[in-house]
Each structure stands twice: as structure tokens, then as C-alpha cells.
Amino acid sequence: MFQRILVANRGEIALRVIRACRDLGIEVVAVYSEADRGAPYLDLADEAICIGPAPAAQSYLNIARIISAAEIANVQAIHPGYGFLSENPHFADVCRDCKIEFIGPPQQAMALVGNKNEARKLAKKAGVPVVPGSEGLIQDENEALRLAEEMGYPVLIKAAAGGGGRGMRVARNDINLRVGLKSAQQEAESAFKDGSVYLEKYVEQPRHVEVQILADRHGNVVHLWERDCSLQRRHQKLVEESPAPNLPGPVRDDICAASVRLIREAKYFNAGTCEFLVDKDNRFYFIEINARIQVEHPVTELVTGIDLVQEQIKIAAGEKLAFAQDDVRRAGCAMECRINAEDPAADFRPSPGVVTKWQTPGGPGVRLDTHVVPGYRVPANYDSMVAKLLVHQPTRAQALATMRRALNEFIVEGIKTTIPLHKEIFNHSAFIDGRVDTTFIERNWMGK
Ligand code: ADP
């Protein structure tokens, strides 16, 4: 096992990794940008090293600075968290060259699944259904128009290197397609330095269901069941839960089995997530593999009792999984609300600033993952998520009630948050009945 790890991230996920290290008895080194100087969670690390100015390109995304910090601090491994460098195969490569273990999948598997077009090919090889679409990348407009006619509108233009919903456009006719193609390519080029795109059939009002995987270096692959993440705004998740409500048992089993096949085919190890869309007839289609720990991982931790971050560290250190598929039990229902520093009443405008009041919920069945304390200043430079509020109860009805209570207990002043939106969601009949799809937020809240 490692003696000392560096966390190449910030905020709640940095704190989450610090806690996992403490639980494992490992020393932990944090890094921070000038915008995060003095953040209270940094005190919980054994050492904290400044890696540069506020802009992420000069700090959390700067490989040379992070590696220098790791060498100065003399760590054996780096945990990248999510976002930033977590899915950057080049970073994983540099770590290996510097004899520092990267806590994540092997570089080849990461590069393979990081390209959505390659991941689609992989899924087809593993006998996993994919959304009908182009065989490969789109070369020119005429090819796109011809394919769209074959598939039938609506279609979705997707960036091969895409992530975070960027480089994605829906086209409902030829004109949309011509315009969307150009703007998706431009957006992908500027965001990922790779403008290649492909076409998929646009699945109308799908649910988003994903499967948590753990795999070790010794060929053991287990799934930790599914999460439903259909509640999204602009393809960004807002609420996640496990089990997926109203998903027939045999469909659930098929999706989990398909995920295990995919991970084996990719020769992937560490934690990973296989994402699927489920249509109105409960047909499922693979969309992508996320090669990192995900924001919503605690939902799975609550229902399975397995600490995913500790497992990641143990896998990276070469340990075998201590449990087989049949040992993975799931109990009750868990739900997560992402609390963002955004104003839902003003088109989700970011709302950074000083948190003057921060009165947090607690009690039975509540877990709060956050790095925020009263008086904390939310920097404007990074992702706006300030907390993940989770509940775990024996039944979904109880989980809904506990989340309503917890949301009411949560009092935040000084910044605007998504708490008021979550309160409305948890009182909406369609959500209560577990009948929502990825367009639910847009249809019910946007433009109001
Ligand atoms: P990203 O990597 O940018 O997050 P994903 O491929 O994971 O992109 O897709 C994100 C979300 O976009 C999905 O959860 C779903 O809401 C929507 N989406 C993706 N592909 C399709 C599709 N073919 N039809 C309908 N919606 C889709």
C-alpha cells in the first residue's frame, strides 16, 4: 500500500480523497491555486502546496506544476479526482514516466474509452447495443445530410472528444444539421483541440442510467449496480439516485452485465462508469464510459456500503478486490442533490462570493459532502458545485421525505444556490412517481 498520496484537485472531491486516505492510514498532500489559498479543507491534509494562479490552466490543469509538487512532496501516487486532469491520458503517461502511480485506469484504456467514436466500436465488439448512428467520424456536410436522411430526424451531432455536454447539437432538419455541424465542430475544436464529430439518432425523452464498475489489475470485474441520472439541465446532472425507479429487473440485469463485458473488452481497471440511455420501451443504448470517479459516486456508496475512493486507491496499489460479484449487496434507496452556487431564478447564472450563513442538514439518513464552511468565499474560477446532499433510506418514499426535510434544514445566505429548485423537484408529482427523463428540467423549468 502507498504511504503518501497527492490529490490533484480541489473542493469537495479533494476533501473526499483526503478522508479516504485518513481512513486507510495514508498520508495525503493537497495542492491549491491562489484562489483556494486558505480554504479550510487544506488544513486536513498533511501538507498543502501552492501550484499557481487562479486560472485552472496555470494550476489544476498544469501538469508540470502538479508533477513538481508531487516530487517535492515525495508521494508515491496521485489521485486526480474528477474533471481537470482526471481523464487526460497524457497526464497518466507523465505520472508513469515519473514513477508515480496514477490512481485511475491504465493509459491505453483511458485513451480508448475517452474517444466516443472508439468507445462505440468497442461496445459493438462486446455485443452491447449502441444508439444507431454513423459508422465513424463525419467527413463533410453531404455525408452528414445523407446519413441523417437514412436515420431519420431528429439526430444528434456529437464531438468524439466531447464531455460536459459540449460539442453536442440536436438537428431536426437539414438546415439545423448544416448550422449545428459547424458550431459543434468549432466548439469541440476550441474545447478539446479535436473538432471531429459523428452522428447519433436522437433518442426522444430518454432516461440516463449508468453502472458503477470496479475492476482490479488481476482481471476481476464487478458492477455495483446502477444509478439513474435523468434529472439534467443542459446535459449536466442535478439529481441522481439508486436504484433506478421503474426499471424492470431483467433490463437492469442486462445493463449491468453489458457494462461488465465492456470493461473487460477495454482491458480497463480501477473505478469506471458505463453510461446508457433507456428509451420509452426500456431498450437501452450505450453512450460512453467515464474513466474516473464520478461526482455522484456516494449514491452507490450508500446503497452498497463500499467506499469507492478507498477501493480506487487499493486497486492502484495492486491489491485484489476483496469481494466477488455475489458479495455486492444493495440495500434501500439513495438520492443525491447537487447544490450549485447558481441562481435558478436567473437562468442559473453563477453566484460566487462569500457564504455568510451555512447551516447544514443532518440527522438519520443524511450525508453531506462539502468543503464549504461559514465565511467561505466561493471562487468564480471553477465549477459552481458547493455541496452534494445525499440521503439513504430503506424505501424511495422515505428517501424522498428525508431529502425534503434535509433541503428545508439547509440554510445558505450570501450566495444563491440550487436548493430552491431541488425543493420544487422533490415536490413534483412526475419526479415523485419516478417518471422523469433527461428533458424534464427543460420542459418544466427553463424559460420560466
Ligand atoms: P458528455 O460526455 O458531454 O456528458 P454524453 O454522451 O455522456 O455527453 O451525453 C450526455 C447527455 O446527453 C446524456 O445523459 C443525455 O441526456 C444526452 N444524450 C446523449 N446522447 C444522446 C442521444 N443519442 N439521444 C438523446 N440524448 C442524448
Side-chain angles (χ1 to χ4, degrees), residues 16-38:
R16 174 72 190 85
V17 177
I18 291 171
R19 286 177 169 152
C21 290
R22 287 273 170 267
D23 287 341
L24 287 168
I26 299 173
E27 288 177 19
V28 54
V29 178
V31 295
Y32 62 92
S33 73
E34 281 161 16
D36 285 326
R37 186 187 296 280

Side-chain angles (χ1 to χ4, degrees), residues 116 156 158 163-165 200-201 203 208 232 235 275 277 288:
K116 294 186 190 206
L156 190 65
K158 276 178 129 172
E200 265 180 16
K201 175 84 186 154
V203 183
H208 174 116
Q232 307 179 347
H235 309 305
E275 297 193 327
L277 295 178
E288 68 165 339

Side-chain angles (χ1 to χ4, degrees), residues 347-359:
D347 198 27
F348 295 84
R349 191 191 305 140
S351 177
V354 176
V355 180
T356 52
K357 184 164 183 177
W358 184 255
Q359 188 173 305

Side-chain angles (χ1 to χ4, degrees), residues 16 31 46 59 66 141 160 183 240 245 258 267 287 341 361 391 442:
R16 174 72 190 85
V31 295
D46 292 287
S59 49
I66 288 173
E141 192 180 279
S183 62
E240 301 97 345
K267 299 192 170 49
I287 46 174
V391 298
E442 265 87 357

Side-chain angles (χ1 to χ4, degrees), residues 96-418:
R96 198 188 48 195
D97 289 348
C98 297
K99 310 257 177 303
I100 297 169
E101 196 61 51
F102 175 82
I103 302 175
Q107 187 261 350
Q108 296 88 332
M110 191 196 279
L112 177 67
V113 305
N115 184 299
K116 294 186 190 206
N117 189 44
E118 294 300 320
R120 276 170 69 82
K121 287 192 211 156
L122 184 87
K124 288 182 198 163
K125 246 171 93 186
V128 174
V130 298
V131 187
S134 52
E135 274 304 317
L137 300 172
I138 295 290
Q139 304 305 337
D140 60 46
E141 192 180 279
N142 287 337
E143 184 188 354
L145 290 166
R146 188 172 46 74
L147 274 166
E149 189 167 337
E150 269 171 40
M151 277 190 266
Y153 284 107
V155 299
L156 190 65
I157 308 157
K158 276 178 129 172
R166 280 175 299 177
M168 219 189 292
R169 295 285 185 284
V170 184
R172 296 191 179 271
N173 54 48
D174 286 0
I175 298 169
N176 281 172
L177 184 60
R178 283 202 186 94
V179 176
L181 201 58
K182 284 206 183 66
S183 62
Q185 282 167 333
Q186 278 163 6
E187 193 171 293
E189 183 63 48
S190 69
F192 314 110
K193 296 196 183 73
D194 175 1
S196 51
V197 296
Y198 63 98
L199 284 194
E200 265 180 16
K201 175 84 186 154
Y202 181 68
V203 183
E204 298 276 8
Q205 304 195 359
R207 295 168 63 183
H208 174 116
V209 176
E210 60 183 33
V211 176
Q212 177 68 54
I213 295 284
L214 281 177
D216 66 21
R217 290 172 191 267
H218 310 280
N220 301 302
V221 182
V222 298
H223 71 78
L224 280 75
W225 306 100
E226 85 287 2
R227 297 182 288 254
D228 187 315
C229 313
S230 300
L231 245 119
Q232 307 179 347
R233 177 184 164 266
R234 299 210 176 127
H235 309 305
Q236 299 281 1
K237 296 161 189 167
L238 277 172
V239 176
E240 301 97 345
E241 62 179 291
S242 183
N246 302 322
L247 188 68
V251 180
R252 178 191 327 274
D253 292 345
D254 284 353
I255 296 180
C256 291
S259 303
V260 170
R261 288 205 302 280
L262 266 166
I263 291 293
R264 284 196 191 283
E265 187 72 43
K267 299 192 170 49
Y268 184 107
F269 59 75
N270 213 286
T273 300
C274 299
E275 297 193 327
F276 299 86
L277 295 178
V278 178
D279 72 12
K280 290 193 192 88
D281 303 317
N282 283 320
R283 278 181 302 223
F284 66 89
Y285 308 95
F286 166 74
I287 46 174
E288 68 165 339
I289 296 177
N290 286 319
R292 57 161 194 276
I293 192 76
Q294 289 199 254
V295 171
E296 60 272 25
H297 76 273
V299 169
T300 298
E301 294 186 325
L302 288 172
V303 290
T304 62
I306 293 171
D307 185 311
L308 287 166
V309 181
Q310 287 191 33
E311 291 302 325
Q312 284 194 290
I313 297 170
K314 289 195 255 179
I315 290 167
E319 288 188 14
K320 279 192 179 154
L321 285 176
F323 43 84
Q325 188 65 64
D326 287 347
D327 302 321
V328 181
R329 296 266 170 265
R330 175 160 68 169
C333 168
M335 297 182 140
E336 173 180 276
C337 286
R338 296 192 190 190
I339 314 294
N340 297 337
E342 291 170 359
D343 186 355
D347 198 27
F348 295 84
R349 191 191 305 140
S351 177
V354 176
V355 180
T356 52
K357 184 164 183 177
W358 184 255
Q359 188 173 305
T360 57
V366 176
R367 167 173 167 179
L368 185 69
D369 279 22
T370 182
H371 58 294
V372 175
V373 296
Y376 175 82
R377 177 186 290 277
V378 179
N381 311 76
Y382 314 111
D383 185 89
S384 64
M385 197 176 69
V386 287
K388 306 191 300 204
L389 176 57
L390 291 119
V391 298
H392 183 215
Q393 289 292 7
T395 66
R396 189 168 188 272
Q398 288 168 296
L400 289 168
T402 301
M403 186 62 92
R404 278 186 214 109
R405 162 174 74 76
L407 287 166
N408 280 327
E409 287 177 19
F410 207 163
I411 313 289
V412 182
E413 288 172 12
I415 57 166
K416 299 269 191 237
T417 74
T418 44

